[in-house]
Amino acid sequence: MAITIALSKGRIFEETLPLLDEAAIQPTDDPETSRKLIIATSRPDVRLIIVRASDVPTYVRHGAADLGIAGRDVLMEHDTAGLYMPVDLAIARCRMMVACRDDFDYEAHTRRGARLRVATKYIQTAREHFAAKGMHVDLIKLYGSMELAPLTGLSDAIVDLVSSGNTLKANRLRAVEEIAAISSRLIINRAALKLKRAEVQPLIDTFSRSAGSGT
Ligand code: PRT
Ligand code: MG
């Protein structure tokens, strides 16, 4: 049976290529240059679909894709019931952090129990994080460029992903708290796992081995 794998372009696609290669799957087009959203591979029974990173769990949950690769940041914001998530692939790693302007006294602000305005695209995760700390926050939903929010007075702080820290530094922001270590997981539709086990299981095995060996 044919299988469909949902991926986002950019870092996840690039870091997935070596894993696909281990399974003898080579895409026939490059999503960075091609406008195709459905990409055939060297294996006639395997195709890739290119979706927004935050849409990967939706495609897999509804069975429009059998498998996908999604960041933990994305999965924490989604209802993952119906998804099987057997392998942490250890790719696209970063940290989810609270950050603010480097001249903002976050510690004093929190000690005083003042209300904090926090801008983020990770509303659920941020809500849980601050609730667990007993902090009062007003959450402001953004879809990108969170770093701009504290610089323009939209918010006191942001919740965003940090890898090198260069974006924070370039915008005179500092990380003040870590919320979670982030990496990407292989996610699988539960029905596909049963119905297409013969095709899906070897992929799980290959991906687990590659992830374990650090490639
Ligand atoms: O871009 P789009 O809006 O379509 O979606 P997306 O931003 O969610 O997708 P993409 O492809 O940028 O990221 C896909 C996944 O990569 C995320 O869901 C994370 O799991 C993972 N990942 C790993 C990252 C980063 N590292 C990362 N550094 N995603 C985003 N960033 C951004 C971060 O938001 C910040 O703006 O990079 C900037 C910080 O990087 P440094 O190196 O300057 O610290
Ligand atoms: Mg992005």
Side-chain angles (χ1 to χ4, degrees):
M1 267 187 279
I3 57 176
T4 300
I5 305 176
L7 296 174
S8 53
K9 57 182 182 180
R11 66 191 102 220
I12 291 198
F13 187 86
E14 276 147 35
E15 296 191 37
T16 301
L17 277 178
L19 302 177
L20 292 173
D21 194 63
E22 290 289 320
I25 300 168
Q26 285 100 23
T28 57
D29 276 290
D30 176 358
E32 299 302 334
T33 52
S34 157
R35 289 174 189 266
K36 287 186 191 164
L37 298 175
I38 300 180
I39 296 182
T41 73
S42 51
R43 271 179 52 177
D45 62 331
V46 179
R47 64 175 190 170
L48 310 178
I49 60 170
I50 305 302
V51 304
R52 282 291 284 265
S54 48
D55 289 336
V56 169
T58 307
Y59 275 85
V60 177
R61 191 152 55 88
H62 291 277
D66 302 298
L67 293 83
I69 294 177
R72 184 167 172 229
D73 52 314
V74 167
L75 294 169
M76 291 191 300
E77 291 288 307
H78 270 261
D79 173 9
T80 53
L83 290 179
Y84 175 58
M85 309 194 279
V87 192
D88 182 347
L89 298 169
I91 61 168
R93 298 171 81 137
C94 57
R95 293 178 300 157
M96 192 183 287
M97 310 281 291
V98 182
C100 60
R101 278 170 59 152
D102 57 15
D103 60 2
F104 179 77
D105 195 345
Y106 180 80
E107 293 74 12
H109 219 77
T110 21
R111 260 199 317 274
R112 282 204 309 273
R115 253 192 127 74
L116 198 73
R117 288 169 307 146
V118 179
T120 186
K121 70 175 179 188
Y122 305 107
I123 293 283
Q124 302 299 340
T125 311
R127 180 177 291 124
E128 280 167 37
H129 172 75
F130 291 109
K133 291 176 54 97
M135 282 174 63
H136 299 289
V137 294
D138 293 314
L139 294 172
I140 301 167
K141 170 78 182 183
L142 287 178
Y143 293 88
S145 301
M146 266 82 82
E147 294 88 357
L148 203 51
L151 303 180
T152 54
L154 178 65
S155 72
D156 303 310
I158 57 173
V159 167
D160 194 9
L161 304 177
V162 178
S163 41
S164 67
N166 289 339
T167 306
L168 291 184
K169 201 184 290 171
N171 291 291
R172 300 182 170 215
L173 302 170
R174 66 182 177 109
V176 289
E177 254 165 35
E178 174 161 341
I179 297 181
I182 304 292
S183 56
S184 289
R185 298 196 80 94
L186 179 62
I187 62 174
I188 303 174
N189 177 279
R190 284 191 184 275
L193 184 66
K194 290 203 193 85
L195 296 170
K196 302 184 180 179
R197 185 124 219 169
E199 292 81 8
V200 171
Q201 189 62 51
L203 283 180
I204 299 177
D205 296 342
T206 306
F207 281 23
S208 314
R209 263 200 314 278
S210 308
S213 69
T215 49

